[in-house]
Amino acid sequence: MSGLGAVLTLLSVLALVATMGLNAYSGMLTVLTGVDSVRPLRPGRRARVLTISGLAVVWCAVGLSVSADFSTALGNALLLMLYLLIPWTAVNLVDYFFVRRGHYAITHLFRPDGIYGTWAWRGLAAYGVGLALMVPFMVVGPFTGPVAAALGGVDVAFVVGLAVSGVLYYVLTRRLDLTTEEPAVAASERELALGEPVLVNDSPTAAGTPVVNGTPAVDE
C-alpha cells in the first residue's frame, strides 16, 4: 500500500522510544543497585538522571561503533548476556528446587542485615567457577575457546555452565542448616499476609522493624 512504509516507520520509532525508556530506567536501577551493594546509597532524582545520562553516552558510542555490522554485534551481545546468566540461573534453580525448596523469608531479601546477609559466598563461588570453566567452550565474535576449537567450533558452554554451577552449589549447601532460617521465614510470611508492617501503639518500632505479637518480627 502506498504510504504504508512511512506509517510503519513512525510506529516503529514510537515503539522503540518506549522500549528504550524502559531499558534506560532498568539500566540505571542496575547500576545504582550495584553501587548500593558496595556502599549504601539512597538515590534521588539527581542520581537517576545523571546515571541515565551517562549510560546514554555509552550506548550512543557503542551504537555508532557497531552500526556497520549491527546484526553480528547484537548477536554477540546477546550471547555474552547468555553466558553471564546461565551459571546464575543454575544457582537459583538449584537453590529453589533442591536446597530451600521454595521456602524464603521474602522480606529479608531486601535487608542487608537479614538472614541472607549482604553476600552469599556459596552462590558467588559456584557462579564464578562455572563462568570460568565456560570460557574454553565459548564461541563468541573473534574468540573461540580451545575446547570449542577442538570440537570444530561447536559451542557447548551453556551445558558446562549449567552443570558445573548447579552441582557445585548443591555440594556447597549440603551442610547448610536451614532450620535457623525457619523463624524468619514464618515471620516474613505473616508480615506479607498482613500486607504492611504491624504497628505498636499506632507507631512503628524505633528501629523500623515490623512487629508481630508485640515483638520484632525477626525475633518472633
Side-chain angles (χ1 to χ4, degrees), residues 21-63:
L22 291 173
N23 289 341
Y25 196 79
S26 297
M28 175 272 297
L29 290 177
T30 301
V31 171
L32 295 182
T33 299
V35 174
D36 185 64
S37 298
V38 179
R39 176 183 177 184
L41 181 68
R42 299 182 69 87
R45 181 182 303 173
R46 182 171 180 270
R48 300 182 186 204
V49 171
L50 289 176
T51 303
I52 291 178
S53 300
L55 290 174
V57 172
V58 174
W59 293 329
C60 184
V62 172

Side-chain angles (χ1 to χ4, degrees), residues 23-190:
N23 289 341
Y25 196 79
S26 297
M28 175 272 297
L29 290 177
T30 301
V31 171
L32 295 182
T33 299
V35 174
D36 185 64
S37 298
V38 179
R39 176 183 177 184
L41 181 68
R42 299 182 69 87
R45 181 182 303 173
R46 182 171 180 270
R48 300 182 186 204
V49 171
L50 289 176
T51 303
I52 291 178
S53 300
L55 290 174
V57 172
V58 174
W59 293 329
C60 184
V62 172
L64 292 174
S65 66
V66 302
S67 59
D69 193 3
F70 177 76
S71 296
T72 300
L74 177 62
N76 290 335
L78 293 175
L79 193 56
L80 286 172
M81 286 193 292
L82 186 64
Y83 289 148
L84 293 173
L85 287 172
I86 281 173
W88 195 246
T89 299
V91 169
N92 278 297
L93 290 176
V94 170
D95 188 81
Y96 186 88
F97 288 105
F98 299 103
V99 180
R100 291 184 169 86
R101 301 180 185 276
H103 299 293
Y104 294 93
I106 303 299
T107 55
H108 283 246
L109 295 175
F110 305 96
R111 295 172 45 188
D113 61 339
I115 61 174
Y116 303 116
T118 304
W119 303 96
W121 70 267
R122 295 176 180 86
L124 292 173
Y127 175 79
V129 172
L131 184 61
L133 292 182
M134 287 173 63
V135 175
F137 298 86
M138 292 179 179
V139 179
V140 55
F143 174 79
T144 299
V147 178
L151 295 174
V154 177
D155 187 344
V156 293
F158 70 96
V159 177
V160 177
L162 281 172
V164 172
S165 293
V167 172
L168 179 57
Y169 182 72
Y170 185 76
V171 172
L172 292 176
T173 54
R174 290 297 292 165
R175 300 196 177 197
L176 188 62
D177 185 9
L178 297 178
T179 59
T180 59
E181 299 181 2
E182 292 177 357
V185 172
S188 174
E189 291 177 351
R190 289 195 296 269

